[in-house]
């Protein structure tokens, strides 16, 4: 499998190259040259497989030159062995047609673990084979950073430095990052928003001498390997509910568009995905785009679902590339105008293609609390604020045909956002036993202004590549 940049200029890479590069040299994102398509018979043959086996077989379609099926199977088995549920990603029925796909049974209690636990192992394997080391730099609105740190801690060939917006993550999220005192882990809190953090990470990657000196690598959802590692759970849910012989809809609470892009990918691979519903909090650029082709940036506002407090959904570029008929030059120009003018000029025909499949939904904090309460009193289901936006979106936009099931991505454990859950239900969800002492553990992090030179100096000071 070869990968192309969405901006059409960078040389194609194989899976290993894409894993290590993260962002393409022309500033674009990597996409498979063509989607591996499975016939209905091939899909049926995958029904009933244990999650790690299904994951290995599907990811192998994207990584065949880099990794054997046996190697991948070893990695997926190890990656998901520590999860708190034997099914890894169980489906919980919420009502006659909707299901929660619980993606939060990993070590940091959010869906990011599903990809990150595998990504840490992929990096380790590839780097060991090459005798190299890398510096992972990432931006997080809360969940990505802790999942990445958990996946990379104490790995010999990796240093990891994570930027988060100071005071804008939940305390559990911050502590899950800042209490990891491994020598290869550093945390940086920036006086700014998540978008500022993400912009700085992009700026570091675009600083070619710095990028080469540090051997920068990405774990943000711009890394294709992460999207690839999210594809299996949508396939697993769909197969369990009767695909490829029954159509499905997915509802995904969305920030960077990475998770829902994986749901889109299983459709491109041949599963009958009828509709993709995108849930947003008041930072609803994608919902505004779908409603009225209004992809315009607004300031980020904090909400009860901080992992979705994002205005620039970086993975949207991958969908844009497809909507524009895989025209790299047109994608590059559209993205440049978005950067320059704060508004993305999507041609009407491309917007219409998007609205044929996607629906957008916005829920404010009051609505989110009401939905958490409704799920608790109605179904006895304790949902975190992100998941609640997904279930509300599912009800608002489920296909009229009631025989089509709607699978909601349950993206965080309720104990990760206990304040909101308690406000809504009066019930404070306890942390699972393995995290019970989180509030007593020592924290370590630095605070800086969002200035590229200062942040690069911090990274240089903490990357151990010189002393290796
Ligand atoms: C990261 C995250 C999201 C958003 O996922 P994207 O891939 O950025 O769209 C939603 N909910 C939770 C709990 C998250 O951690």
């Amino acid at each position: 499998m070869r990968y192309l940049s969405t901006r059409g200029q960078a040389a194609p890479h194989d899976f290993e190259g894409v894993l290590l590069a993260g962002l393409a040299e022309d500033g674009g994102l990597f996409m498979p040259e063509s989607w591996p398509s499975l016939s209905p018979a091939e899909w049926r043959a995958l029904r009933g497989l244990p999650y790690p086996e299904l994951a290995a077989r599907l990811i192998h379609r994207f990584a065949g030159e880099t990794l054997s099926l046996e190697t991948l199977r070893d990695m997926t088995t190890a990656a998901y062995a520590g999860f708190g549920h034997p099914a890894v990603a169980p489906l919980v029925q919420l009502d006659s047609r909707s299901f929660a796909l619980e993606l939060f049974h990993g070590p940091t209690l959010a869906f990011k673990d599903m990809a990150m636990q595998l990504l840490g192992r992929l990096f380790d394997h590839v780097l060991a084979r090459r005798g190299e080391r890398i510096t992972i730099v990432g931006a997080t609105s809360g969940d990505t950073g802790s999942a990445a740190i958990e996946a990379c801690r104490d790995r010999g060939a990796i240093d990891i430095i994570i930027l988060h917006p100071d005071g804008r993550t939940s305390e559990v999220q911050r502590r899950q990052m800042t209490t990891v005192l491994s020598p290869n882990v550093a945390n940086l809190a920036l006086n700014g928003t998540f978008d500022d953090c993400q912009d700085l990470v992009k700026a570091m990657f675009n600083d070619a001498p710095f990028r080469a000196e540090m051997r920068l690598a990405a774990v943000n959802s711009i890394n294709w390997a992460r999207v690839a590692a999210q594809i299996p759970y949508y396939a697993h849910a769909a197969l369990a509910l009767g695909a490829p012989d029954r159509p499905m809809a997915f509802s995904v609470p969305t920030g960077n568009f990475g998770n829902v892009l994986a749901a889109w990918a299983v459709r491109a691979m041949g599963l009958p995905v009828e509709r993709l519903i995108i849930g947003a909090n008041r930072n609803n650029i994608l919902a505004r785009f779908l409603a009225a082709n209004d992809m315009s940036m607004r300031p980020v506002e904090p909400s009860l679902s901080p992992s979705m407090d994002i205005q620039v959904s970086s993975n949207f570029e991958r969908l844009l590339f497809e909507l524009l008929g895989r025209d790299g030059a047109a994608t590059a120009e559209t993205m440049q105008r978005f950067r320059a003018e704060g508004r993305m000029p999507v041609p009407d025909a491309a917007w219409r293609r998007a609205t044929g499949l996607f629906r957008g939904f916005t829920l404010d904090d009051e609505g989110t609390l009401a939905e958490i309460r409704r799920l608790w009193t109605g179904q006895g289901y304790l949902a975190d604020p992100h998941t609640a936006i997904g279930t509300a979106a599912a009800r608002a936009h489920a296909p009229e045909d009631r025989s089509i099931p709607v699978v909601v991505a349950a993206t965080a454990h309720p104990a990760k956002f206990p304040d909101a859950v308690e406000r809504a239900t009066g019930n404070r969800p306890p942390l699972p036993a393995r995290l019970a002492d989180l509030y007593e553990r020592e924290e370590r992090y630095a605070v800086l202004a969002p200035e590229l030179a200062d942040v690069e100096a911090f990274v240089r000071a903490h990357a151990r590549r010189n002393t290796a």
Side-chain angles (χ1 to χ4, degrees):
M1 171 74 69
R2 292 201 321 162
Y3 292 83
L4 311 176
S5 167
T6 51
R7 301 201 186 173
Q9 296 296 310
H13 281 288
D14 63 6
F15 185 82
E16 182 169 326
V18 164
L19 173 74
L20 296 175
L23 198 67
E25 289 83 352
D26 58 3
L29 307 186
F30 287 110
M31 281 285 268
E33 189 169 42
S34 62
W35 290 97
S37 185
L38 283 71
S39 69
E42 287 175 302
W43 279 118
R44 279 184 210 108
L46 297 174
R47 278 183 187 152
L49 292 178
Y51 188 81
E53 178 66 28
L54 178 69
R57 293 206 202 173
L58 290 179
I59 295 166
H60 190 244
R61 302 251 175 179
F62 293 96
E65 296 89 6
T66 300
L67 298 156
S68 71
L69 184 58
E70 291 66 35
T71 304
L72 265 170
R73 189 181 286 128
D74 289 346
M75 282 190 216
T76 55
T77 302
Y80 301 114
F83 276 51
H85 195 292
V88 182
L91 270 177
V92 176
Q93 188 154 8
L94 296 176
D95 61 32
S96 60
R97 59 146 359 155
S98 51
F99 298 80
L101 173 60
E102 292 190 343
L103 304 173
F104 53 69
H105 293 285
T108 70
L109 311 181
F111 90 91
K112 307 290 194 301
D113 290 326
M114 297 292 301
M116 219 61 93
Q117 282 295 314
L118 187 63
L119 206 66
R121 288 170 169 83
L122 285 170
F123 272 123
D124 224 31
H125 177 87
V126 166
L127 291 168
R129 196 164 64 189
R130 295 161 69 115
E132 293 174 6
R133 36 187 308 125
I134 53 168
T135 307
I136 290 178
V137 171
T140 188
S141 54
D143 292 337
T144 306
S146 52
I149 287 170
E150 209 42 68
C152 296
R153 63 186 299 170
D154 302 318
R155 292 195 190 278
I158 301 175
D159 290 310
I160 178 164
I161 293 131
I162 296 292
L163 283 55
H164 71 267
D166 194 25
R168 291 190 187 230
T169 64
S170 79
E171 187 174 1
V172 174
Q173 288 177 317
R174 189 191 70 239
R175 286 181 165 277
Q176 282 183 327
M177 297 189 282
T178 59
T179 59
V180 178
L181 305 180
S182 304
N184 70 328
V185 173
N187 280 285
L188 187 51
L190 289 183
N191 294 313
T193 64
F194 168 70
D195 286 339
D196 293 329
C197 296
Q198 184 153 273
D199 284 348
L200 280 162
V201 169
K202 284 202 171 185
M204 284 189 266
F205 275 93
N206 287 330
D207 179 347
F210 182 77
R211 174 178 177 167
E213 181 194 347
M214 296 296 136
R215 299 247 350 142
L216 289 192
V219 291
N220 273 41
S221 56
I222 54 173
N223 194 308
W224 168 258
R226 256 186 75 185
V227 177
Q230 292 167 354
I231 290 171
Y233 51 74
Y234 289 108
H236 198 246
L239 292 170
L241 294 173
D245 303 303
R246 185 189 191 197
M248 286 311 109
F250 292 109
S251 175
V252 185
T254 302
N256 255 323
F257 205 78
N259 201 4
V260 69
L261 190 80
W264 185 86
V266 297
R267 184 171 185 273
M269 294 170 71
L271 284 180
V273 177
E274 184 88 2
R275 182 170 293 178
L276 291 169
I277 305 162
I278 295 175
N281 61 32
R282 72 183 81 138
N283 301 292
N284 64 346
I285 186 167
L286 291 168
R288 284 185 283 119
F289 165 68
L290 290 168
N293 198 357
D294 168 22
M295 181 79 96
S296 57
M297 274 189 239
R298 291 185 187 164
V300 180
E301 291 178 41
S303 77
L304 291 178
S305 42
S307 300
M308 291 153 55
D309 290 348
I310 289 169
Q311 275 299 341
V312 181
S313 297
S314 45
N315 269 293
F316 183 78
E317 181 168 342
R318 291 189 158 112
L319 180 68
L320 180 70
F321 177 68
E322 294 281 354
L323 294 174
L324 295 176
R326 299 195 142 224
D327 180 340
T331 307
E333 198 204 316
T334 306
M335 292 308 297
Q336 271 141 23
R337 283 186 57 192
F338 184 47
R339 275 284 157 196
E341 296 159 22
R343 169 181 289 272
M344 191 182 293
V346 179
D348 223 51
W351 173 69
R352 262 180 237 291
R353 272 201 290 284
T355 57
L357 178 63
F358 289 91
R359 296 289 185 280
F361 177 79
T362 306
L363 196 63
D364 64 13
D365 282 353
E366 284 314 308
T368 303
L369 291 170
E371 177 70 4
I372 295 173
R373 194 173 308 121
R374 194 191 68 82
L375 286 164
W376 176 242
T377 53
Q379 272 97 314
Y381 191 75
L382 211 49
D384 97 288
H386 305 78
T387 303
I389 290 176
T391 60
R395 267 184 307 122
H397 287 296
E400 282 79 65
D401 179 348
R402 295 197 52 84
S403 71
I404 298 176
V406 186
V407 175
V408 179
T411 52
H413 192 291
K416 201 152 190 184
F417 301 93
D419 297 336
V421 175
E422 186 173 24
R423 248 171 88 189
T425 66
N427 188 327
R428 192 171 183 84
L431 284 168
R434 64 185 186 277
L435 287 166
D437 68 341
L438 188 65
Y439 287 90
E440 282 98 64
R441 295 182 200 164
E442 181 192 344
E443 288 189 86
R444 189 164 70 207
Y445 64 103
V447 183
L448 282 182
E451 297 293 338
L452 181 62
D454 298 344
V455 172
E456 287 189 345
F458 181 89
V459 170
R460 195 176 269 116
H462 284 82
R464 297 171 307 167
R465 85 266 170 235
N466 293 323
T467 59

